[in-house]
Amino acid sequence: MQQLQDLQNPELLATAQDYSEDETTDRDSGLYRAEYVMSFVEKWDELIDWEARARSEGKFFIQMLQALGANRVLDVACGTGFHSVQLMQAGFDVTSADGSAAMVAKAFENGKKHGLILKTVQADWRWLTRDIVGTYDAVVCLGNSFTHLHDEADRRRALAEFYSVLGPDGVLILDQRNYDSILDDGFSTQHKYYYCGEQVTAEPEYVDEGLTRFRYTFPDESVYHLNMFPLRKNYTRRLIGEAGFQAIKTYGDFKETYQESDPDFFIHVANKAHAGVEEISPRKAAYDKTTAVAEDYYDSSDADEFYFNVWGGEDIHVGIYDNSPDIREASRITVETMAETVGEIRPETRIIDLGAGYGGAARYLARTFDCSVTCVNISRVQNIRNERLTAAQDLDDRVNVVHGAFESVPEPDASFDVVWSQDAFLHSGEREKVLAEAFRLLRPGGSLVFTDPMQADEVDDPEALRPVYERIHLESLGSFAFYREAAKKAGFEEVQIRDFTPQIANHYGRVAEVLTQNYDRMQKKSSKEYLDRMLVGLDNWVKAGDAGLLAWGVLHFRKPR
């Protein structure tokens, strides 16, 4: 009976891919059915190389799903069954779905080879609930599959279907190629993770903002193609969020922290229920909720355009305005003041900047003192600008950019002479942990120097700060007293606290003035809603500063020798 049904499915009879005369015009979300012909699917495992891929992935997905307490998993892009088999062998209750009949058939066959009977179903994501019954603890969409949807309406519909089949605490795990790198810098691949077959080449032969056409060449010289939409990372994150998912965390080649240009693939993990990001980490060590919010905020195009064009360009931090009303110049004076506070900086001095933004301070330090600086920053959008500005100034041999959170920095103990940070610690919900991490990173005798927008040591009515918190989605602020106590607890000695509190109202007021003056021009770069909210938020900070509710300054602590 099954063989008869197979013969009745035309997708299982096709042996050759069929494209238009101009293949690059084929951009339909249903095209994948005609692309995954059986002759191509039969060779797919040569590209994947199950054993090599299992070694490269390790137990990343298994550990993540176990940490979530997931049991029922819907593998919506099962392909030839690699992840379905891996998850079933680990004890999960898996349903294996794919829009391609050839892939579903091959997955079932591969399952039997491993002594498993897969629960398979052919299902197009856009109508998933038509073919899938019940709810699941997790939906996994892996193997760069989401890229087959060429229309945004189809992507949104598929995400809505994923959302609907998840239980209240369900999680979505969705991966994609690093198309940002392909579009911006050209194609390169390490072949370390997803496509592990050594004898098969997979590379794009055509790329534009709406299409990446990949060519797959096999050892027998057979050639196949796939037309895919090049999903940018932050666009995908935005669609996932707009579908209702929350606490979105993105990994680069299975790593929580990664250099911007390195990953071949990104893996997005998102909760249906609102939860702290720690809950979705396989090692319970991912970003806290406050940090995750900061990542989303600064990765938005609205924020990127505003901070780069209005706030200060290379230096997006509070400025010192004693000698100049210009935001960029005042911001640079802050950097110079902090460097002066550190004391002697030599070419052999190693500095790490936590929350480096666009890297202006790092480039100043590298250029001025010929030292090396590592930038750790949560926003990939800012990191891209940082890398490009750094390369343009021929400083990329001294400035290194790392994507990550400063609560858990992937650097050895006692490896830096200076930990530097400007107006970044407020974005952490674990500020004591940040100071402890700074202490770990420093060599004995090393300096921690930082600025941070803070609340005054004594605030009679904490609710008076609520409008301040809301501008950038904060839940609290530190204070001079808090950082003194937290630094002491971490093991630091206090060297100097330089109070520049009046500058915080000066800075936010000046930013508001420049935004108002350039409002019409900025509407072409950032949304009107964002700009209007920003003006209200800036005014709240100025009022709070004038009312004595805020504080700001340069704090210098030292790790004992």
Side-chain angles (χ1 to χ4, degrees):
M1 180 64 72
Q2 181 64 46
Q3 291 179 343
L4 179 60
Q5 291 174 345
D6 289 348
L7 291 173
Q8 291 175 338
N9 191 324
E11 293 180 36
L12 298 176
L13 302 177
T15 58
Q17 294 177 320
D18 184 20
Y19 290 100
S20 301
E21 183 175 349
D22 181 358
E23 302 95 337
T24 64
T25 63
D26 292 332
R27 307 185 183 201
D28 180 75
S29 292
L31 178 64
Y32 70 91
R33 290 178 181 266
E35 291 180 310
Y36 287 111
V37 295
M38 185 57 79
S39 57
F40 187 20
V41 170
E42 289 290 348
K43 294 178 177 295
W44 192 253
D45 290 335
E46 295 181 41
L47 176 66
I48 298 299
D49 189 339
W50 281 37
E51 291 185 6
R53 185 166 180 176
R55 288 194 300 270
S56 67
E57 285 189 7
K59 296 187 179 298
F60 180 87
F61 296 111
I62 292 170
Q63 290 176 344
M64 179 172 289
L65 292 168
Q66 287 174 338
L68 288 160
N71 177 44
R72 299 194 72 224
V73 179
L74 176 60
D75 183 357
V76 294
C78 71
T80 60
F82 173 78
H83 285 108
S84 289
V85 168
Q86 295 284 313
L87 293 173
M88 286 185 69
Q89 289 176 334
F92 294 95
D93 179 3
V94 181
T95 298
S96 306
D98 202 287
S100 163
M103 284 292 192
V104 170
K106 186 64 175 178
F108 188 82
E109 177 185 325
N110 281 335
K112 288 196 298 182
K113 290 179 181 179
H114 287 80
L116 302 170
I117 301 299
L118 270 60
K119 294 183 291 184
T120 57
V121 59
Q122 183 180 6
D124 189 303
W125 306 327
R126 295 168 291 179
W127 302 280
L128 192 64
T129 52
R130 179 188 64 189
D131 301 307
I132 298 294
V133 179
T135 59
Y136 293 81
D137 303 317
V139 169
V140 296
C141 182
L142 305 175
N144 193 42
S145 300
F146 199 65
T147 190
H148 287 299
L149 297 176
H150 289 266
D151 299 320
E152 181 170 308
D154 291 328
R155 294 178 210 117
R156 292 184 181 278
R157 182 167 184 171
L159 288 169
E161 292 285 290
F162 296 165
Y163 192 93
S164 67
V165 299
L166 283 170
D169 298 314
V171 64
L172 169 67
I173 304 177
L174 182 152
D175 71 10
Q176 64 169 101
R177 272 190 182 273
N178 183 353
Y179 285 110
D180 292 85
S181 179
I182 294 174
L183 291 168
D184 297 336
D185 305 315
F187 175 75
S188 66
T189 180
Q190 302 169 39
H191 289 291
K192 287 174 59 179
Y193 298 107
Y194 278 71
Y195 301 132
C196 300
E198 295 294 334
Q199 305 302 316
V200 184
T201 61
E203 56 188 7
E205 65 177 25
Y206 177 87
V207 177
D208 66 31
E209 286 287 343
L211 179 70
T212 301
R213 180 172 169 81
F214 263 78
R215 174 189 177 97
Y216 301 85
T217 305
F218 292 86
D220 63 1
E221 299 185 355
S222 59
V223 175
Y224 295 89
H225 293 84
L226 291 175
N227 283 11
M228 297 173 284
F229 181 84
L231 297 160
R232 287 190 177 273
K233 172 196 167 188
N234 291 320
Y235 168 76
T236 305
R237 285 172 56 87
R238 176 170 63 82
L239 287 186
I240 293 172
E242 290 175 357
F245 291 97
Q246 303 183 57
I248 305 166
K249 173 72 173 71
T250 300
Y251 297 82
D253 287 343
F254 313 109
K255 300 174 184 176
E256 293 173 351
T257 302
Y258 46 87
Q259 293 191 11
E260 290 305 321
S261 58
D262 281 355
D264 277 353
F265 279 76
F266 294 118
I267 303 157
H268 308 290
V269 183
N271 279 35
K272 182 172 182 177
H274 192 52
V277 179
E278 285 188 357
E279 297 178 45
I280 60 175
S281 169
R283 296 185 295 280
K284 295 291 184 181
Y287 311 151
D288 63 77
K289 175 184 172 183
T290 305
T291 307
V293 170
E295 180 177 24
D296 286 340
Y297 174 76
Y298 286 109
D299 272 349
S300 71
S301 59
D302 281 341
D304 179 50
E305 294 292 348
F306 166 74
Y307 281 94
F308 189 75
N309 290 284
V310 175
W311 194 277
E314 291 197 33
D315 296 302
I316 53 172
H317 312 294
V318 174
I320 296 175
Y321 290 83
D322 292 344
N323 299 318
S324 173
D326 182 76
I327 294 174
R328 294 172 187 250
E329 187 172 340
S331 297
R332 179 47 51 89
I333 290 172
T334 298
V335 175
E336 294 170 352
T337 301
M338 291 177 65
E340 173 190 298
T341 300
V342 171
E344 186 177 8
I345 300 176
R346 303 180 298 275
E348 61 268 25
T349 301
R350 293 196 70 214
I351 301 175
I352 186 166
D353 186 351
L354 303 182
Y358 296 131
R363 286 186 292 277
Y364 169 84
L365 293 167
R367 182 172 53 249
T368 304
F369 303 104
D370 197 28
C371 61
S372 64
V373 185
T374 296
C375 298
V376 177
N377 197 54
I378 196 67
S379 167
R380 184 178 192 277
V381 171
Q382 291 181 348
N383 290 343
I384 290 172
R385 283 195 189 269
N386 186 349
E387 287 186 326
R388 290 176 178 171
L389 290 167
T390 297
Q393 296 177 32
D394 293 324
L395 292 169
D396 44 352
D397 60 330
R398 280 164 283 172
V399 176
N400 183 42
V401 182
V402 176
H403 177 278
F406 36 60
E407 292 90 348
S408 181
V409 179
E411 295 288 346
D413 294 356
S415 54
F416 293 93
D417 303 294
V418 178
V419 172
W420 175 293
S421 184
Q422 290 180 256
D423 307 334
F425 291 169
L426 76 162
H427 291 298
S428 174
E430 300 176 290
R431 297 182 189 110
E432 288 186 346
K433 184 176 180 181
V434 173
L435 295 192
E437 184 72 349
F439 190 87
R440 180 188 70 80
L441 292 166
L442 283 170
R443 295 166 178 159
S447 289
L448 165 63
V449 59
F450 69 96
T451 63
D452 207 39
M454 299 170 284
Q455 68 180 50
D457 284 341
E458 296 183 7
V459 176
D460 294 333
D461 180 14
E463 282 301 308
L465 287 168
R466 184 59 53 191
V468 169
Y469 299 157
E470 289 176 352
R471 187 185 74 80
I472 44 178
H473 316 293
L474 298 176
E475 296 182 353
S476 67
L477 288 171
S479 65
F480 281 126
F482 167 81
Y483 281 121
R484 278 190 165 109
E485 183 61 29
K488 181 179 179 181
K489 182 178 179 181
F492 284 105
E493 299 172 343
E494 182 178 321
V495 179
Q496 186 182 21
I497 305 293
R498 304 178 69 176
D499 191 337
F500 292 103
T501 290
Q503 299 298 340
I504 196 163
N506 291 343
H507 181 78
Y508 282 88
R510 185 67 187 120
V511 171
E513 290 176 2
V514 173
L515 175 55
T516 301
Q517 293 166 2
N518 294 275
Y519 186 85
D520 291 340
R521 178 177 66 86
M522 283 304 301
Q523 278 196 78
K524 299 176 181 179
K525 299 177 179 292
S526 299
S527 68
K528 182 178 185 300
E529 293 75 16
Y530 177 88
L531 298 176
D532 289 344
R533 288 196 306 271
M534 179 58 68
L535 286 171
V536 172
L538 292 169
D539 185 57
N540 287 332
W541 278 70
V542 172
K543 289 177 179 176
D546 290 342
L549 299 175
L550 300 177
W552 186 79
V554 179
L555 297 86
H556 184 197
F557 299 95
R558 180 175 292 125
K559 182 175 182 175
R561 294 185 183 278

